[in-house]
Amino acid sequence: MAEFTMELNDDQKQVRDWIHGFAADVIRPAAAEWDEREETPWPVIQEAAKVGIYSLDFYAQQFFDPTGLGIPMAMEELFWGDAGIALSIVGTGLAAIGVVANGTEEQIGTWIPQMYGTPDDVKVAAFCSSEPDAGSDVGAMRTRAVYDQAKDEWVLNGTKTWATNGGIANVHIVVAVVDPELGTKGHASFIVPPNTPGLSQGQKFKKHGIRASHTAEVVLEDVRIPGSCLLGGKEKLDERLARARERAAAGGGERVKNAAMATFEASRPAVGAMAVGTARAAYEVALDYAKTRTQFGRPIIDNQGVAFQLADMRTQIDAARLLVWRASWMAVAGKPFTSAEGSMSKLYASEVAKKVTAQAVQILGGNGFTREYPVERMHRDAAIYTIFEGTSEIQRLVIARTLSGMPIR
């Protein structure tokens, strides 16, 4: 287990600088165009694949960094470039985490490469959990998976929403209910292979921010998939359901973590790192502007009203990064989140991103309100961090319940 440190080693610095260079040279110049087009930036994803950033090997190397800082470091730099394009590049990762967290070694080896494709033929993947009537309340999920024993197939029916890459993905990971009587303990995750009949894209959402990232509904109508596409396998599922039924009959007992919760817990510090990247980008624009913008014969940074805002912005960004790094290190070191440290990092970094980007717009004044300057886009993008993968309100609920010892559903 690596000791916690706030100093990146030489290899990490080299990787950070490499990613930062890609974000500065490739992502940023394309950001405004793809935000306006509201389309998946396939050429940028392909460029990321060609240099090795959009690949299974890259994310595996960062994921298995013994310090735990590989993923948050990469997320911060990519999202410093642009949140919408970066989410298009890393969105596949949530589906990949779902497979790694819940799948067998064979499923990991078979399906994750198909999520990314090749540099000449890039693919994306989608993780489908939320539904029109089941966002934060995963217990209200209605998508059903029924096992057809005669054919060793699962039949999926339902509608998913807010799915990044939904409908355009090569591989979809779908969370569905297999035993409605068990509530969230009766959920399981399934792999829907490419070109499976019955899966279609529903509404594509026109969003306030992160417009370069494709977000849509996924409709499942009698989608039949092989039994081998149940993440973790049926034997493991049957054992888990049996334990849940025993505990329910006994009136409660030990909590059982469902597949969607396991995926979100693993990814929350990474989302915090994304928020840090966007906040840092907006802060740097505001700082440069305040140094060069002259009013009343002096740079506006000479005014306390502006200087103190910048001081607070930088302090909050650094504090958010430290929370993200702590949670990321704890996860890789196998230390339990006894105080919901993962949710803490996501909560604080998300709120900081919204606040810092709003302050950046204010510092730039009228210019900050126009699309001639990137802080307007950054401010719109930052709004998503307090919403997706658990709203700020849900993060506070998770933290409070963890501190009190109450169960998290």
Side-chain angles (χ1 to χ4, degrees), residues 65-89:
D65 182 330
T67 69
L69 302 184
I71 289 294
M73 179 185 65
M75 294 302 104
E76 179 177 337
E77 295 304 330
L78 288 171
F79 281 74
W80 171 90
D82 176 69
I85 292 177
L87 191 57
S88 288
I89 293 173

Side-chain angles (χ1 to χ4, degrees), residues 30-39 82 85 208-212 371 376-377 380-381:
E33 175 188 351
W34 292 100
D35 177 74
E36 290 287 346
R37 292 175 63 166
E38 299 191 51
E39 296 174 357
D82 176 69
I85 292 177
H208 175 66
I210 56 167
R211 294 177 178 177
R371 295 188 183 180
E376 177 271 341
R377 184 179 67 252
R380 287 189 286 107
D381 291 342

Side-chain angles (χ1 to χ4, degrees), residues 124-160:
V124 295
F127 182 77
C128 308
S129 178
S130 294
E131 298 183 1
D133 295 317
S136 299
D137 182 11
V138 294
M141 191 177 293
R142 295 180 180 177
T143 297
R144 296 288 186 265
V146 178
Y147 184 58
D148 184 341
Q149 188 170 2
K151 295 183 178 180
D152 185 26
E153 292 179 340
W154 287 90
V155 185
L156 277 60
N157 281 282
T159 299
K160 295 295 181 178

